[in-house]
């Protein structure tokens, strides 16, 4: 799932007349860059949530023949945030997994991982490695994280289990799991989930998925960090970030 419904307010004025997914870097839209990257890892079925200038994204995908992939669109009349957006799009995954399991008789297919990727991040994180880490550790969710400055930290123990969160460097920790040693790490907008998570999203309406992860971690569920410090990563929230990413693409720092 590509999360692309946001207003892209930090990218104004570029998003005054287009969705952030169709903002370009070196002649390629953020959506094309993300889809191409997912295709390179073998992804062939994608759902994209849309809201701001939604019809422009639909028309763009049609003009591009959906890049040769099965691409569905989840329209949000009201912005639902990451958790609400995933919950609204859950039919796409549950339908596919149920069909696959019934046709093959293999219930294990119901636990094949789902990748969630923000449209406004660019990276060369090894998604195969991340998914293998997720499956090896039987995680409910695995979050790509980095040791970098941020306004909101997630807190993990030495086993890389989610234990809480904290605002900034000096904020008071909100803990859901006790630990002697906590690592404050920044979420990178890329996560892998098990389909088992979908019915556990009991929140309604508009909600971020991070509080859901914290709630489930408090219940003993395995919500893990995937350390992505060694990889290139950039948030594309501001025009300056786009310019730097364009330079990095030109210099082959990231493909």
């Amino acid at each position: 799932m590509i999360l692309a419904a946001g207003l892209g307010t930090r990218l104004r004025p570029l998003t005054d007349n287009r969705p952030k997914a169709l903002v370009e870097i070196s002649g390629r839209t953020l959506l094309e860059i993300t889809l191409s990257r997912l295709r390179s890892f073998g992804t062939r079925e994608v759902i994209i949530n849309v809201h701001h200038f939604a019809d422009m994204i639909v028309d763009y995908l049609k003009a591009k023949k959906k890049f040769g992939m099965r691409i569905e669109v989840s329209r949000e009349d009201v912005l639902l945030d990451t958790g609400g957006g995933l919950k609204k799009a859950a039919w796409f995954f549950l339908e596919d997994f149920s069909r696959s399991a019934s046709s093959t008789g293999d219930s294990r297919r119901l636990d094949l991982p789902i990748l969630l990727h923000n449209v406004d991040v660019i990276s060369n994180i090894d998604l195969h490695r991340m998914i293998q880490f997720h499956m090896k550790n039987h995680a409910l969710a695995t979050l790509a994280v980095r040791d970098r400055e941020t306004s909101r930290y997630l807190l993990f123990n030495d086993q890389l289990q989610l234990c809480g969160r904290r605002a900034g460097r000096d904020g008071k920790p909100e803990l859901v799991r006790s630990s002697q040693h906590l690592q404050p790490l920044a979420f990178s907008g890329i996560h892998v989930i098990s389909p088992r998570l979908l019915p556990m999203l009991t929140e309604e309406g508009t909600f971020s998925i991070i509080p859901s992860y914290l709630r489930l971690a408090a219940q003993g569920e395995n919500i893990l960090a995937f350390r992505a410090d060694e990889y290139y990563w950039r948030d594309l929230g501001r025009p300056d970030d786009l310019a730097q990413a364009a330079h990095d693409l030109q210099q082959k720092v990231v493909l």
Side-chain angles (χ1 to χ4, degrees):
M1 179 173 183
I2 297 177
L3 298 161
L7 300 177
T9 52
R10 292 182 299 157
L11 283 173
R12 286 176 176 164
L14 295 174
T15 50
D16 285 343
N17 59 5
R18 76 187 76 178
K20 65 181 176 181
L22 298 187
V23 170
E24 295 186 355
I25 299 177
S26 300
R28 301 173 70 203
T29 65
L30 301 188
L31 184 55
E32 179 189 349
I33 291 170
T34 306
L35 284 169
S36 296
R37 176 156 167 74
L38 295 180
R39 276 198 63 166
S40 72
F41 281 93
T43 300
R44 292 295 179 269
E45 296 183 284
V46 177
I47 188 165
I48 305 168
N49 68 335
V50 297
H51 170 75
H52 186 52
F53 292 111
D55 288 339
M56 289 183 68
I57 294 178
V58 172
D59 292 344
Y60 173 79
L61 290 170
K62 187 181 299 183
K64 296 292 186 178
K65 300 186 184 333
K66 297 187 176 181
F67 295 91
M69 306 167 75
R70 178 199 172 192
I71 299 178
E72 301 289 346
V73 167
S74 178
R75 288 179 177 265
E76 298 180 10
D77 296 329
V78 176
L79 277 174
L80 297 175
D81 209 335
T82 49
L86 173 61
K87 187 169 184 175
K88 187 177 191 296
W91 65 269
F92 176 77
F93 305 107
L94 297 176
E95 170 192 75
D96 183 59
F97 286 114
S98 296
R99 184 173 63 247
S100 297
S102 62
S103 64
T104 63
D106 186 356
S107 61
R108 291 173 299 177
R109 287 186 60 83
L110 294 173
D111 204 31
L112 288 175
I114 297 166
L115 178 69
L116 308 178
H117 198 298
N118 288 4
V119 77
D120 55 359
V121 299
I122 186 170
S123 82
N124 62 4
I125 292 173
D126 188 335
L127 300 179
H128 277 317
R129 186 175 162 216
M130 184 175 174
I131 290 169
Q132 287 169 356
F133 174 86
H134 171 85
M135 297 182 71
K136 178 182 177 181
N137 290 283
H138 306 287
L140 184 66
T142 300
L143 286 63
V145 295
R146 293 162 56 85
D147 184 3
R148 61 176 174 84
E149 288 290 331
T150 183
S151 59
R152 294 170 294 179
Y153 288 96
L154 296 177
L155 305 175
F156 296 88
N157 63 18
D158 290 335
Q159 289 73 48
L160 297 176
Q161 295 171 313
L162 180 63
C163 295
R165 63 179 170 181
R166 187 182 73 204
R169 285 287 181 190
D170 303 317
K172 183 178 179 181
E174 174 191 338
L175 298 179
V176 297
R177 190 197 301 258
S178 61
S179 176
Q180 292 294 317
H181 179 251
L182 292 172
Q183 306 173 71
L185 298 167
F187 179 45
S188 296
I190 301 170
H191 28 160
V192 177
I193 65 168
S194 163
R196 293 183 291 111
L197 172 72
L198 299 174
M200 296 181 184
L201 295 176
T202 55
E203 295 83 358
E204 298 291 339
T206 300
F207 64 96
S208 166
I209 201 167
I210 297 299
S212 303
Y213 286 155
L214 291 165
R215 172 178 60 80
L216 292 164
Q219 296 170 9
E221 295 291 344
N222 206 21
I223 313 293
L224 298 181
F226 176 78
R227 295 295 300 264
D229 305 276
E230 67 190 89
Y231 301 104
Y232 175 93
W233 177 90
R234 182 170 292 278
D235 174 82
L236 301 174
R238 300 170 303 170
D240 287 350
D241 299 314
L242 296 175
Q244 184 60 54
H247 176 268
D248 295 341
L249 284 167
Q250 191 174 41
Q251 298 298 315
K252 308 295 185 183
V253 175
V254 60
L255 299 176

